[in-house]
Amino acid sequence: MDKFPAFLLLPFLCFFHSLFLSDADVTGNSSDPGLTLSADSLCAQLIEPNGYFCTEHTIQTKDGYLLALQRVSSRSGDLKVQQGHPVLLQHGLFMAGDAWFLDSTEQSLGFILADQGFDVWVGNVRGTRWSHGHISLLDTDKEFWEWSWQELALYDLAEMLHYIHAITSSKIFIVGHSQGTIMSLAALTQPDIVEMVEAAALLSPISYLEHVSAPLVLRMVAMHLDQMVLALGLHQLNFRSDVLVNLVDSLCDDHVDCTDFLSSITGQNCCFNKTRMNFYLEYEPHPSSVKNLRHLFQMIRQGTFSQYDYGVLKNLLIYGQFKPPAFDLNNIPKSLPIWMSYGGNDALADATDVQRTLEELSSKPELLYLDNYGHIDFLLSVKANRDIYNHMIGFFRGGKLG
């Protein structure tokens, strides 16, 4: 079989970060100690060229990672007198904060929310291009990649919320896509985190992955791709490397038809602009960790929404029990407003798994179901403003959320 084009990896990366750049930041003269300046930054690359006000911020997690946050306001706004409600955008797997600004100002959620007067904050998890490494570890160190979405939820997302809350003195709206929803739901089960959140909007919401139907994903799980990568001595997942491109290519054989690579990973997407793929790949993919992939595969194999499974003996040492503790969705307060949008063609955030999430929540989230939407459409659909984002903004502004 002919090799699939490397550029088609982007749809795969929307689910599951080598171009890791450690930007040299210069601390700005500001009363905000986290404010930074950089010529090679998300603000400089994608946001300011479109005429929007943007500042770069650096925060440190409890385990020493240095994360980038961007703060964005509209072309007619001023960050110094920003009055809108703060909203944090949390990207998915193998992506970073640029994911919210890849299309036009009329189509990209980051621009749309800024134009609607929101105080937009853009999250970037550890290991991504826009974040800034670690206080003592190098990205070439094995230990640098010793994390999964569990740490992204309990350390990265938690620290982002603490920082924004301290700056704005306001509770925060969270918007997540894909892995960003896994992080959000896990974090919201923690009382010290959820108290900083005003409401949550989840695109392609995931807490369970038992009913993933994407053929190539199921093939990867069955072939134990996570263990294969570890056997190669890799701890960083970098899908710009020849090793991993060739490894995924080897899975496209008589068992899986990869001629439509996008559909084999995400389900059939109706509405994103395929002609912009080369532009998207100027920014994507970003690295992630092998441990993160293993954690996601555990969710598929075991049908759980739990902390990382180290095996019986290590679980006993770390957790004091044979199995890892579950993230109990019932612990998310009933009073927290939640809005979810999911699609009939999404082969990752399957409707059956979404229903299980809904059954375990104590609240009744507002729902928007789009029968023809696939996994990527919720982020990159050319019609998302009309189909999805207007509804989300209405939710944020409704009743006491206004």
Side-chain angles (χ1 to χ4, degrees), residues 154 185-195 307 326-328 331-333:
L154 302 183
L185 287 167
L188 292 172
T189 66
Q190 309 300 303
D192 61 322
I193 299 177
V194 73
E195 67 181 7
Q307 298 186 41
F327 287 101
D328 188 352
N331 287 339
I332 299 177

Side-chain angles (χ1 to χ4, degrees), residues 37-51:
L37 303 173
S38 177
D40 185 14
S41 66
L42 178 52
C43 284
Q45 292 283 315
L46 275 177
I47 300 171
E48 291 171 344
N50 282 288

Side-chain angles (χ1 to χ4, degrees), residues 43 46-55 71-82 101 103-120 385:
C43 284
L46 275 177
I47 300 171
E48 291 171 344
N50 282 288
Y52 290 73
F53 295 92
C54 185
T55 55
R71 190 182 192 183
V72 185
S73 71
S74 71
R75 288 167 284 193
S76 59
D78 185 341
L79 285 168
K80 295 180 180 178
V81 293
Q82 180 65 263
F101 302 94
D103 283 324
S104 71
T105 57
E106 292 77 26
Q107 295 171 337
S108 300
L109 182 58
F111 293 130
I112 291 168
L113 288 172
D115 283 335
Q116 289 291 323
F118 290 91
D119 181 7
V120 178
N385 193 8

Side-chain angles (χ1 to χ4, degrees), residues 89-151:
L89 303 179
Q90 186 51 59
H91 61 80
L93 185 61
F94 295 112
M95 296 190 125
D98 45 59
W100 306 102
F101 302 94
L102 290 176
D103 283 324
S104 71
T105 57
E106 292 77 26
Q107 295 171 337
S108 300
L109 182 58
F111 293 130
I112 291 168
L113 288 172
D115 283 335
Q116 289 291 323
F118 290 91
D119 181 7
V120 178
W121 292 80
V122 185
N124 302 269
V125 302
R126 60 187 66 186
T128 55
R129 170 181 177 181
W130 311 115
S131 285
H132 310 294
H134 191 274
I135 58 173
S136 62
L137 298 172
L138 300 176
D139 67 305
T140 52
D141 295 332
K142 171 185 174 182
E143 293 78 11
F144 183 94
W145 302 100
E146 187 59 30
W147 49 265
S148 75
W149 59 259
Q150 178 178 322
E151 285 75 25

Side-chain angles (χ1 to χ4, degrees), residues 180-377:
T181 71
I182 300 177
M183 294 167 55
S184 297
L185 287 167
L188 292 172
T189 66
Q190 309 300 303
D192 61 322
I193 299 177
V194 73
E195 67 181 7
M196 297 180 287
V197 178
E198 181 76 17
L202 308 178
L203 303 168
S204 297
I206 297 172
S207 64
Y208 293 99
L209 287 167
E210 187 176 7
H211 293 88
V212 164
S213 59
L216 189 52
V217 174
L218 294 176
R219 174 75 165 159
M220 292 173 183
V221 174
M223 294 288 290
H224 295 274
L225 180 69
D226 49 341
Q227 296 180 25
M228 294 168 63
V229 174
L230 277 179
L232 294 172
L234 302 177
H235 301 278
Q236 173 188 173
L237 281 177
N238 168 17
F239 283 95
R240 292 180 183 267
S241 70
D242 290 340
V243 172
L244 288 185
V245 169
N246 289 334
L247 186 58
V248 175
D249 177 50
S250 69
L251 301 177
C252 294
D253 54 17
D254 294 336
H255 298 280
V256 177
D257 180 9
C258 293
T259 52
D260 187 351
F261 191 77
L262 183 149
S263 296
S264 70
I265 290 292
T266 68
Q268 189 66 47
N269 295 280
C270 67
C271 308
F272 91 101
N273 187 351
K274 296 179 182 180
T275 66
R276 290 182 61 80
M277 185 69 77
N278 288 336
F279 175 76
Y280 298 155
L281 286 173
E282 292 181 24
Y283 296 94
E284 318 302 335
H286 297 256
S288 190
S289 71
V290 175
K291 185 176 180 179
N292 195 28
L293 184 67
R294 297 198 75 184
H295 199 173
L296 292 164
F297 281 11
Q298 287 174 3
M299 296 170 69
I300 296 173
R301 294 176 180 128
Q302 301 172 11
T304 56
F305 183 44
S306 300
Q307 298 186 41
Y308 187 85
D309 191 348
Y310 292 94
V312 172
L313 293 180
K314 195 169 181 180
N315 285 343
L316 278 171
L317 289 172
I318 294 176
Y319 305 125
Q321 56 191 58
F322 293 119
K323 295 183 178 181
F327 287 101
D328 188 352
L329 294 172
N330 193 55
N331 287 339
I332 299 177
K334 187 175 182 179
S335 58
L336 179 72
I338 301 175
W339 178 95
M340 296 182 179
S341 186
Y342 63 109
N345 283 332
D346 194 331
L348 300 175
D350 184 86
T352 303
D353 291 326
V354 173
Q355 185 58 41
R356 182 178 176 185
T357 300
L358 294 171
E359 291 171 357
E360 295 189 8
L361 289 167
S362 59
S363 64
K364 291 185 180 295
E366 293 189 27
L367 301 176
L368 177 63
Y369 174 76
L370 298 167
D371 187 61
N372 63 331
Y373 264 54
H375 198 72
I376 298 174
D377 289 319

Side-chain angles (χ1 to χ4, degrees), residues 32 73 120 165 344 382:
D32 174 7
S73 71
V120 178
H165 186 262
V382 297

